Amino acid sequence: EVQLVESGGGLVQPGGSLRLSCAASGFIFSNYNMNWVRQAPGKGLEWVSYISTRSSTIYYVDSVKGRFTISRDNAKNSLFLQLNSLTDEDTAVYYCARDAEWQEGDYHYYGMDVWGQGTTVTVSS
Amino acid sequence: EILLTQSPGTLSLSPGEGATLSCRASQIFSSTYLAWYQQKPGQAPRLLIYGASNRATDIPDRFSGSGSGTDFTLTISRLEPEDFAVYYCQRYGSSPPWTFGQGTKVEIK
């Protein structure tokens, strides 16, 4: 079964740090680009960060640049997100999601086809 | 940054009725980068549609997507009880940031 399982969330004080993990199974992890997406309580989805298969390409949403760091360990089938200098605006459920690409002729299509169940980060004093 | 605006915010319908959800972009982009997701309370999102009109694996054919340019539509032909959820569109696969729309809630009338 293809599966992503996040862990590492918890309660942290403003200015604190957390490291989120995402364990992949049921597919060849090293073949897939990966993402982190978050959802604040009662709000919509926000894409946070992306990492390519060999970590050569990394992107962040502007609101987390300089504070969050995405990484991966293909040997351990794991994705990570280091969260530093946390504020209450970072309170959210954090999902890892697999990048999917389809090709039909000359057309390439994209989406996030596998999601974990999420891990909750609460920033509060 | 390309913004996506979904309408309506909430759709109140009965099982068996059809639903039409709109996603409008602030700039033109290729439909190959438009995806739709379904999210039920307490669950992770699920990919429904990629490339604006292609159903993902195991998605029933009552779900269909269309559109191009700045206007995209998700249509649910006949609502089943399990279809009442929040639906998000997303631009994904071109240059980041990869924004989501704010969501449309389809609720039971």
Side-chain angles (χ1 to χ4, degrees):
Chain A
E1 179 189 5
V2 173
Q3 196 171 13
L4 297 171
V5 179
E6 301 94 336
S7 60
L11 175 63
V12 60
Q13 292 187 339
S17 298
L18 276 178
R19 189 188 194 213
L20 307 184
S21 299
C22 171
S25 60
F27 65 99
I28 302 174
F29 178 72
S30 59
N31 286 353
Y32 288 86
N33 306 318
M34 297 294 296
N35 293 276
W36 287 97
V37 176
R38 68 183 178 182
Q39 186 169 36
K43 303 297 184 182
L45 300 170
E46 180 183 36
W47 169 79
V48 173
S49 185
Y50 162 97
I51 188 167
S52 61
T53 54
R54 298 182 180 183
S55 306
S56 57
T57 300
I58 287 174
Y59 300 122
Y60 299 99
V61 68
D62 282 351
S63 59
V64 309
K65 283 180 182 175
R67 301 188 300 121
F68 290 9
T69 302
I70 192 171
S71 62
R72 64 190 295 162
D73 184 339
N74 288 339
K76 296 183 178 180
N77 295 326
S78 294
L79 174 71
F80 305 101
L81 188 67
Q82 177 69 40
L83 289 63
N84 295 333
S85 304
L86 286 162
T87 74
D88 56 359
E89 294 186 346
D90 298 315
T91 293
V93 175
Y94 285 73
Y95 298 100
C96 58
R98 188 177 80 172
D99 168 87
E101 300 180 23
W102 299 265
Q103 183 177 359
E104 294 180 8
D106 293 334
Y107 294 97
H108 294 255
Y109 305 109
Y110 303 86
M112 298 181 188
D113 70 335
V114 179
W115 294 66
Q117 86 290 349
T119 188
T120 301
V121 172
T122 303
V123 184
S124 175
S125 55
Chain B
E1 177 178 344
I2 297 177
L3 301 179
L4 300 178
T5 302
Q6 293 186 240
S7 61
T10 301
L11 208 47
S12 298
L13 296 166
S14 300
E17 290 191 293
T20 301
L21 287 66
S22 173
C23 175
R24 177 162 289 178
S26 59
Q27 300 175 42
I28 291 174
F29 65 91
S30 172
S31 61
T32 61
Y33 303 126
L34 194 283
W36 289 94
Y37 302 85
Q38 176 194 66
Q39 187 180 33
K40 298 178 182 179
Q43 296 185 18
R46 176 174 71 146
L47 177 67
L48 294 178
I49 300 286
Y50 61 89
S53 61
N54 301 281
R55 277 187 297 276
T57 303
D58 295 331
I59 301 303
D61 61 7
R62 63 180 181 272
F63 291 91
S64 63
S66 62
S68 63
T70 60
D71 292 313
F72 301 92
T73 300
L74 176 70
T75 301
I76 311 172
S77 59
R78 295 171 308 279
L79 284 163
E80 297 288 341
E82 62 268 28
D83 299 337
F84 291 91
V86 179
Y87 294 83
Y88 295 94
C89 59
Q90 184 200 23
R91 185 187 73 91
Y92 179 69
S94 181
S95 56
W98 295 313
T99 50
F100 291 88
Q102 82 279 19
T104 290
K105 182 179 182 180
V106 179
E107 66 176 20
I108 299 176
K109 185 174 182 180

